[in-house]
Each structure stands twice: as C-alpha cells, then as structure tokens.
Amino acid sequence: MTLELDMTLELDALESEAIFIIREVVAETQHPALLFSGGKDSIVLLRLAEKAFSPSPVPFPLLHVDTGHNFDEVLDFRDRRVAELSLQLVVGSVPEAIDSGLVTEPASGMRNPIQTPVLLKAVEDNGFDALFGGARRDEEKSRAKERVCSLRDEFGQWDPKNQRPEPWALYNTRKQPGESLRVFPLSNWTELDVWHYIEREKIELPSLYFAHPRDVVERDGMLYGVHPALPAREDEQPFEAMVRYRTVGDASCTAAVRSDAYDVPAVIAELMATRLTERGATRGDDRVSEAAMEDRKREGYF
C-alpha cells in the first residue's frame, strides 16, 4: 500500500509540474505547437495538454515531421487521435523535402538525420515560437544537458553552453525576435513514470508497444522489423519473433525487443528488470557516435 501511495503522489507531482509548464509557456508565447508523432511520450504529453486546458480544447496545433518511413500502426493512431480531439495537424514531409531538393536522401536510407531542415522549415512557415516535445532527461545523454525551456537561436540551433538557469521552477521563456523555444514538460519523468501514468490514466497506445508476432531480421545485435523502409538484405533470413517496440520512430532505424508483455502491467514489470534505456536498446541511428543526438540537436533537431 505504501508503494502504491508513493507512486500516486509521485505521478500527481509530475502531472502538476507538467501542466504548470504547459500553461506557463502558452501564456508567455504567441504561436506554440506540440510535437506529436503518435509515440507514447507525445501521447502522454497530449493528455497533459488536454488536462491543462479542460474543459476548453487544446489551444495549439500538433506538428509531426513525417519521414515517410513511419509505421502504419502509428500513423493510423495519430490521425484517429487528432480527429477525436478536432485538432489541427501540421505535417512536415521529408519525402516532399527530398523531391523539392531541400534535403538529400542518405545512402544509408535512414531519414532521421534529415528531419531537422524539415522541422525548421515547418517552424518558419507556421511562425511557431515554441514547440512542446516529449523528450525526457533519462532518454539520452544530451537530453540531460537541456533545461525545461531550451532556447533556439534565429537559425533554430541549440548551443549547450548557452543554457539559462531555472531555479525554483522559474521557467525562462524570454527570447529575442527570431528565436524560439523547445519545451520539455516531461523532463523529470522516467520511462517507468510514463508507463505508470499510462496505466493510471488508461491511455490508449498504438499496438506496436505490446508483444506481437513480427517478421524480423537480426542486424548489428538488434531485431529490426521487415518493412518497405528496411527490407531484408541478401545475406539475411527473416524470421518470426514475438516482439514489441519501446519507441516507435523511423522504421529504418528503430528496432524491436523480444517480449511477452502484451499489456501495460506486463510492460511495467519488464521495464523494472532492464537497465537499458529505450534509445540505447532500439535506436540504430544513435549508435553512429557517442555524440550523435547532441550533434543533431545543435543543428536544430528537437
């Protein structure tokens, strides 16, 4: 009972903090938007935004940078959730950016590294001056360097040395013309906190987050689902495995994990027994170098 009470109090505190951050930024900026991919963190962030402004509707649009390599289950969920809440969805299309010459398709086929110019163009075209993101500090090393409100310069770039202190929960939303903010209301959450909150709030997720049979190939020590963006190579033999996804990014670089966790309590039990973060266990693009994420964030990635 004590553990249950402790978890309730912790989730209440995290929820209250996140809602305060969302309201504060909306009050202090002109054109915010919420980055929404249909992944678990952005789904939780959207639920918090609902709570922050209830009974009024969420007062800002959702923004998704679509690589064209997304999982169908996630896109279907994204579109259904947007329709349920009658929200505006702005889509920055990587395939369209490739066709227009804004970016060039990498030889590796991984489109995550070329999302940044598409994101920055969507920000400029729509005049967004603040983007809410679902990033957490436990996710990846460079995430831990940022504040809740992270300043981006007029080119959309991040300088990790130019961080403003946020003492006593005073979130610094000051910015000069042309600058913008990336705001992370889930900064103090862990992956387990997110899943406990999903359990408590009975939040629906895309089916990929739960164990299911899937044709996979083993590559670089990880299990990748066979997908049009990631076909099996000549020297690879696909096989069926019971897997689930801990994160649902670009299918060309997002791996699954072996799992029998078919519901939320089983996922929570599984996570309590692992020491690998979801990105460390399943994201091939983060294995390029120790500083892969930080390099992308310096260029303007969220």
Side-chain angles (χ1 to χ4, degrees):
M1 182 63 71
T2 302
L3 288 175
E4 292 180 5
L5 178 60
D6 287 346
M7 178 54 63
T8 297
L9 293 174
E10 179 184 351
L11 291 179
D12 285 345
L14 290 171
E15 178 188 70
S16 178
E17 177 188 56
I19 286 174
F20 175 79
I21 292 166
I22 293 169
R23 288 173 176 166
E24 182 76 5
V25 171
V26 168
E28 296 293 335
T29 59
Q30 298 298 314
H31 301 292
L34 188 151
L35 290 162
F36 188 75
S37 64
K40 67 182 186 308
D41 299 313
S42 65
I43 290 169
V44 165
L45 192 54
L46 181 56
R47 172 60 60 87
L48 291 165
E50 287 183 81
K51 285 194 167 190
F53 301 104
S54 179
S56 299
V58 175
F60 42 72
L62 308 184
L63 170 61
H64 181 210
V65 179
D66 183 1
T67 65
H69 288 170
N70 296 90
F71 295 99
D72 291 340
E73 297 95 323
V74 178
L75 291 181
D76 290 345
F77 182 93
R78 179 202 70 181
D79 293 342
R80 179 162 54 82
R81 195 77 184 100
V82 168
E84 288 170 353
L85 297 177
S86 300
L87 296 176
Q88 177 190 0
L89 175 67
V90 176
V91 177
S93 171
V94 173
E96 289 181 7
I98 293 172
D99 291 343
S100 70
L102 176 65
V103 295
T104 302
E105 179 97 55
S108 67
M110 292 185 185
R111 290 181 176 176
N112 265 9
I114 59 173
Q115 287 183 90
T116 300
V118 182
L119 171 63
L120 295 180
K121 186 175 188 303
V123 169
E124 182 180 4
D125 289 349
N126 292 276
F128 296 138
D129 59 353
L131 293 181
F132 293 105
R136 308 182 319 273
R137 288 195 177 113
D138 73 325
E139 218 182 323
E140 196 273 340
K141 292 177 181 178
S142 68
R143 299 291 196 198
K145 292 185 178 181
E146 292 197 275
R147 303 293 187 261
V148 169
C149 290
S150 181
L151 183 69
R152 297 298 192 269
D153 65 20
E154 63 271 26
F155 302 106
Q157 296 177 336
W158 172 62
D159 181 357
K161 296 180 181 179
N162 185 26
Q163 291 289 343
R164 297 168 176 168
E166 293 178 332
W168 313 296
L170 296 176
Y171 304 108
N172 199 328
T173 58
R174 289 185 295 106
K175 54 185 178 55
Q176 299 298 320
E179 294 177 339
S180 61
L181 299 173
R182 302 290 189 271
V183 184
F184 306 111
L186 305 184
S187 284
N188 293 323
W189 297 51
T190 66
E191 185 182 8
L192 264 176
D193 291 330
V194 168
W195 278 99
H196 279 297
Y197 192 75
I198 288 167
E199 180 180 45
R200 185 177 86 168
E201 299 290 310
K202 297 179 173 56
I203 297 174
E204 184 183 357
L205 297 177
S207 59
L208 270 72
Y209 279 109
F210 304 102
H212 58 283
R214 199 175 196 91
D215 287 337
V216 299
V217 293
E218 186 168 355
R219 186 179 299 175
D220 300 324
M222 295 191 286
L223 296 178
Y224 289 95
V226 178
H227 185 275
L230 195 142
R233 297 169 179 167
E234 291 184 3
D235 60 343
E236 293 175 332
Q237 182 60 50
F239 59 96
E240 186 177 276
M242 187 66 70
V243 299
R244 74 176 190 88
Y245 286 84
R246 290 177 66 182
T247 180
V248 291
D250 191 305
S252 69
C253 59
T254 304
V257 295
R258 292 186 185 274
S259 176
D260 295 318
Y262 59 88
D263 61 11
V264 175
V267 169
I268 290 173
E270 183 179 272
L271 289 177
M272 292 178 72
T274 185
R275 296 177 64 86
L276 278 176
T277 67
E278 67 263 50
R279 294 195 72 95
T282 66
R283 294 299 291 270
D285 55 330
D286 287 344
R287 295 191 172 190
V288 175
S289 75
E290 281 288 321
M293 173 64 79
E294 182 164 333
D295 291 342
R296 290 166 62 195
K297 291 174 71 62
R298 286 176 185 269
E299 296 168 358
Y301 185 70
F302 80 90

